[in-house]
Amino acid sequence: MMKNLRWPKNPVVTVGALFLLLLVAIAVHGFGLTAQMVRHTKSLLDARAEAGALAVALSQEQRSAGSSTAVGRQIATARSLTSEARLPKALKYLDDLSAQHSSWLRASPDAALASRIKARMDVDVRSSLADMDAATGTAIDATRASFLYETSMIFMLAVAIAVAAAIAYRRALGAGRHQLKDIAERNRSLENAQRLAGVGNWTNSLSTGQVTYSQEMRRIFGLSALDPAANMLRRFDHPDDAEEIKRVAGDAMRRLQPYSIDHRIVLRDGSVRHVHEQAEFAFDENGRAQHLVGTLVDITERKQAEQKLAFLAHHDALTGLPNRTLLADRLGQYISHAKRLSRIVAVLFLDLDRFKDINDSLGHTAGDELLKEVGTRLLQSVRAGDTVARSGGDEFVIVLADIAEQKHVAGIVQAVVNAFAAPFVIESRDLFVTPSIGISLYPCDDADADGLIRNADAAMYQAKDRGRNNFVFYTAEIHKTAVRRLSLESDLRRAVDEGQFELHYQPFIRLATKSIVGFEALVRWRHPKLGLVPPTDFIPLAEDSGLIVPIGEWVLRTACVQHKAWKRLGHPTQRMAVNISARQFQQRDLAHTIGQALVDTGLSPQALEVEITESLLMKDMTRSLAILRQLKDMGIGISIDDFGTGYSSLGYLKLFPITTLKIDKSFVRDLTTDRFDEAIASTVVTLAKSLALDVIAEGVETAAQAQKLAELGCDEVQGFFFSKPQAAPECEALFDKNFGYAPELSVPFVRTS
């Protein structure tokens, strides 16, 4: 039985139950004791009453046979009751009394003896009565105390039972309230879950036709609790979807099968929402359909996300224009249409000129805004049936569909070019941007989409090579050039790995002493099949591909090693000049790279000069100034190459720590025949002298040019007149060569327009 006893888990309840059991046990035990005391007291009272009657009988007894017999029976009765009352002392008195009474009867002739016996009998009776009285009083007191104790225990038990009942009632009431609260909370949680998930539910009783709707159903339909719910489910169906919904729901009702459908609803404010509706039948134990239970889910956000993903899969995220995937699909359709109708399709590959400069100077945010504005203008410049797509970066592709004759293409392309005439206002700045456009035509240039885009891309590079801001139609020659460019770029990467480069050196000649004072290191590529590749062919490729960085570092180290070798041989060369490309100048660790090369080769910083173009410095003056100051602090000379051909802002000459100005060969070429070139060269020399800068003129090819530069005060010259760039072994002979020349005076001036 104890195994089946299950104690309450709550310790308070357990202690209370044990306390009640203890009270009950004490009360039951007390009742038993009290009953015994009552019985004992009753026997005491009976014995006392009999003893009292015996005392009266003795006092009235006459010595007669009948009377003596009656008294004897009373004495026996009193002894019996006294024995039951467990009064040994009183019983002894009664035993003595019985013996005295017998003696008294026998001593009747002797009056004196009878009188003495009678007196002793009275003493025994009184003693017995006194003992009985004392015992009876004690028993009554004990019985009274026991009764009071039992009464208090009953009261305590009643109070405990009442408290327990109150606690149980309160707990039951609390449990009921908690259960009601829990049910309400669960209903609220269910409503909240349905609201958060956008799920409403409804039930249609097939027997009564009554339909009940959840609160979320009303919210989905935009109804309040006071709005009528009649025909709520079908009242808001979109007119274009209503027929399909009716068909699906009707088929399900006839077949008693579940159904599921996505459709639209139109709310009272006219807004359209997407919902997913599904329902199934509930059957009784006999298989009869009782209810149709359904749910309605608001899937508008999911549908919008799906539409957005579908849009992003086929459109550029920045401009919203078609991307390459959608472009390829549309171009394929245009080609199929043109093939059937013998029409022309034109593909325009457009690249923004010098867009990188805008990104570098104004930041990518401004660059992105510019790209969006360009996309807008391109859309406005073409016809409604044409496609404008963004290929990536600053490249756009325009497809002109359904062209009747090739001559019509140029007019549309010119409209595209004209769209760039007005400045783009970006971040309160007027930006002038120009396009370079390559054009390929279906079917004459290619028959598939990839080929047309590839050919237009090749033609675009030709447009850039021809000065930018124009357009070029694709030709077979362009294809050959593009193929050669790709092949050359592949070979260039191999050349970096295999070390196919070599340095040629062209000397600087000081006009005052007509002696070598240094060299400019010029990189050459000795192609295993093509021989020496001109720098104009591979330097732009190296810049575009980023290979100019490892090539430039190799040039720097090799030139330093060569200059150190010439110094060890005692040759009178003072410095080695190395060109720094735009891509190299953008490297954050340029100063560290140059410094490490000097440390590794052991060349003094004062023996190194870096040549940087004027336009390169002006792209980011703050950064350029920081880099040049680092180099100047190291003791490295800084020469501005092609001076006068860039921005021609003279303020930077004071700002930048420059040591040398280099007059561009375009001003030297006609120096002796064009007063303008002479004036420019003279101005540069005068400016440099006033700023305590050295001046070098490049591209000197005649003695007259050298003489004129000497007359203008130019410090140094370089050019084919003195020496073409040569490999290091051939330069050995230059150290012993006399660079004197015969002066050519009175050179006539010829003005050029």
Side-chain angles (χ1 to χ4, degrees), residues 324-394:
R324 283 181 288 187
T325 301
L326 184 55
L327 170 66
D329 180 69
R330 289 189 181 178
L331 182 52
Q333 294 180 30
Y334 293 156
I335 291 173
S336 298
H337 177 77
K339 185 176 181 179
R340 290 193 304 271
L341 303 179
S342 298
R343 307 289 279 185
I344 295 173
V345 177
V347 175
L348 283 59
F349 200 104
L350 183 150
D351 183 87
L352 302 182
D353 298 331
R354 298 186 176 88
F355 176 76
K356 186 177 184 301
D357 294 343
I358 296 175
N359 253 352
D360 292 343
S361 57
L362 300 182
H364 290 282
T365 301
D368 289 346
E369 289 299 317
L370 176 60
L371 291 174
K372 289 191 284 188
E373 288 296 322
V374 168
T376 301
R377 288 198 189 180
L378 291 178
L379 285 172
Q380 295 170 350
S381 64
V382 298
R383 302 167 304 169
D386 298 329
T387 293
V388 178
R390 184 185 177 208
S391 178
D394 60 339

Side-chain angles (χ1 to χ4, degrees), residues 511 514 671-672 700 702-714 717 721-722 741-747:
L511 290 174
K514 298 180 178 60
L671 178 64
T672 59
V700 177
T702 67
Q705 292 170 346
Q707 179 64 29
K708 176 58 69 174
L709 289 167
E711 292 173 0
L712 294 176
C714 184
V717 293
F721 176 71
F722 298 99
Y741 53 89
E744 300 179 18
L745 303 177
S746 303
V747 178

Side-chain angles (χ1 to χ4, degrees), residues 4 8 49-50 106-107 109 122 129 194-195 212 225 315 353 370 392 435 502 595 682 687-688 724:
N4 297 327
E50 190 63 29
R106 288 192 301 270
D122 290 338
L129 286 174
Q194 289 183 340
R195 177 177 55 81
T212 58
H315 292 80
D353 298 331
L370 176 60
E502 58 186 55
S682 176
L687 180 63
K724 66 178 182 179

Side-chain angles (χ1 to χ4, degrees), residues 292-303:
L292 180 62
V293 181
T295 59
L296 196 74
V297 184
D298 188 335
I299 59 172
T300 303
E301 293 183 359
R302 191 190 80 189
K303 285 290 186 181

Side-chain angles (χ1 to χ4, degrees), residues 418-432:
N418 294 340
F420 290 81
F424 293 86
V425 181
I426 304 297
E427 297 181 351
S428 302
R429 292 184 176 90
D430 288 345
L431 300 181
F432 289 90

Side-chain angles (χ1 to χ4, degrees), residues 441-491:
L441 303 175
Y442 170 87
C444 56
D445 294 332
D446 213 310
D448 67 13
D450 290 340
L452 289 171
I453 294 175
R454 183 172 57 250
N455 292 341
D457 187 12
M460 181 271 294
Y461 277 104
Q462 284 295 308
K464 283 189 175 294
D465 292 342
R466 295 180 187 180
R468 307 173 190 270
N469 192 26
N470 59 13
F471 58 88
V472 172
F473 282 89
Y474 174 80
T475 64
E477 186 61 33
I478 289 177
H479 175 71
K480 293 179 182 178
T481 302
V483 171
R484 183 174 183 274
R485 178 185 176 93
L486 289 174
S487 177
L488 205 60
E489 182 175 343
S490 178
D491 291 346

Side-chain angles (χ1 to χ4, degrees), residues 173-350:
L173 184 62
R177 289 176 179 175
H178 180 74
Q179 188 174 7
L180 291 175
K181 183 178 179 181
D182 185 58
I183 293 173
E185 186 65 29
R186 290 183 181 181
N187 286 335
R188 282 194 298 270
S189 298
L190 179 59
E191 290 179 0
N192 290 334
Q194 289 183 340
R195 177 177 55 81
L196 292 174
V199 178
N201 62 280
W202 51 272
T203 302
N204 182 4
S205 174
L206 300 181
S207 59
T208 65
Q210 183 179 2
V211 183
T212 58
Y213 302 95
S214 69
Q215 184 62 34
E216 183 59 19
M217 285 285 289
R218 291 180 172 272
R219 191 200 66 79
I220 292 175
F221 289 121
L223 300 178
S224 68
L226 301 178
D227 290 322
N231 197 30
M232 181 194 299
L233 188 61
R234 300 276 73 93
R235 193 195 318 169
F236 299 97
D237 289 344
H238 195 285
D240 294 343
D241 299 342
E243 194 64 31
E244 178 64 13
I245 299 171
K246 182 178 180 181
R247 184 190 65 80
V248 171
D251 289 346
M253 183 66 72
R254 285 190 297 272
R255 300 175 183 177
L256 297 180
Q257 292 181 345
Y259 72 87
S260 176
I261 185 174
D262 291 348
H263 63 88
R264 292 166 295 172
I265 58 174
V266 182
L267 304 186
R268 291 188 296 184
D269 60 3
S271 61
V272 177
R273 307 290 292 179
H274 292 266
V275 296
H276 172 73
E277 178 183 334
Q278 64 180 19
E280 62 181 19
F281 291 90
F283 300 90
D284 61 14
E285 62 276 6
N286 297 320
R288 290 190 294 267
Q290 298 295 312
H291 298 89
L292 180 62
V293 181
T295 59
L296 196 74
V297 184
D298 188 335
I299 59 172
T300 303
E301 293 183 359
R302 191 190 80 189
K303 285 290 186 181
Q304 291 173 346
E306 291 174 354
Q307 293 171 358
K308 184 176 181 180
L309 287 175
F311 180 84
L312 292 177
H314 296 89
H315 292 80
D316 174 53
L318 177 64
T319 63
L321 296 174
N323 59 15
R324 283 181 288 187
T325 301
L326 184 55
L327 170 66
D329 180 69
R330 289 189 181 178
L331 182 52
Q333 294 180 30
Y334 293 156
I335 291 173
S336 298
H337 177 77
K339 185 176 181 179
R340 290 193 304 271
L341 303 179
S342 298
R343 307 289 279 185
I344 295 173
V345 177
V347 175
L348 283 59
F349 200 104
L350 183 150

